[in-house]
Amino acid sequence: MNTSIFIIGAVFLIGIALVIYKHKHRMSLHENVDQLRSIIKVIFKEKGEDAISQNRLIKGLKYHLGVNEKMALKLIGKARREGIIELEKLNSEKIGKSTYKLTATEKE
């Protein structure tokens, strides 16, 4: 009985530690503008075009940062607020068909 309680408690504590780590990792991604700037530049260089679609930007953020789609959309919003990217063309008829480009200051 004592051993089973100890094992259950240890598994519970490890689970809590993983949840806390994941939360802190996501918040650090959201606060680190320099890392976001460098990752977005890498995504644009990989594509080799001046403008890329929202879907491609989401896929690139998911691949390079290991985040889910919701967090990738939040990071796109953060990048727009920080002036890293700007909306080039908005297509309200089809979700994900909006295109983004780097701002003039980020192309240097």
Side-chain angles (χ1 to χ4, degrees):
M1 176 92 177
N2 238 355
T3 308
S4 63
I5 291 175
F6 177 73
I7 292 173
I8 291 172
V11 168
F12 181 73
L13 289 176
I14 290 171
I16 296 266
L18 287 173
V19 168
I20 290 171
Y21 171 76
K22 186 72 171 175
H23 177 72
K24 287 188 181 275
H25 176 68
R26 285 185 176 195
M27 290 301 111
S28 70
L29 287 176
H30 197 65
E31 294 171 1
N32 193 348
V33 177
D34 292 329
Q35 181 185 14
L36 181 61
R37 180 177 284 118
S38 65
I39 294 297
I40 288 178
K41 284 181 180 180
V42 166
I43 293 169
F44 273 90
K45 283 181 185 176
E46 286 176 353
K47 188 66 174 172
E49 298 177 7
D50 290 337
I52 61 174
S53 69
Q54 180 178 347
N55 285 340
R56 178 67 190 118
L57 192 56
I58 289 172
K59 287 179 185 177
L61 288 171
K62 286 169 65 175
Y63 175 76
H64 289 288
L65 295 176
V67 296
N68 59 11
E69 189 167 347
K70 182 179 178 181
M71 188 63 177
L73 286 170
K74 286 182 181 181
L75 290 173
I76 290 172
K78 176 78 170 181
R80 287 184 66 192
R81 282 191 301 275
E82 293 293 330
I84 300 170
I85 59 173
E86 59 187 18
L87 188 64
E88 183 183 56
K89 182 174 70 172
L90 176 65
N91 189 347
S92 59
E93 296 169 2
K94 295 182 180 177
I95 297 175
K97 294 296 181 181
S98 303
T99 55
Y100 292 95
K101 64 179 182 178
L102 285 173
T103 58
T105 57
E106 297 298 324
K107 288 183 181 180
E108 300 172 349

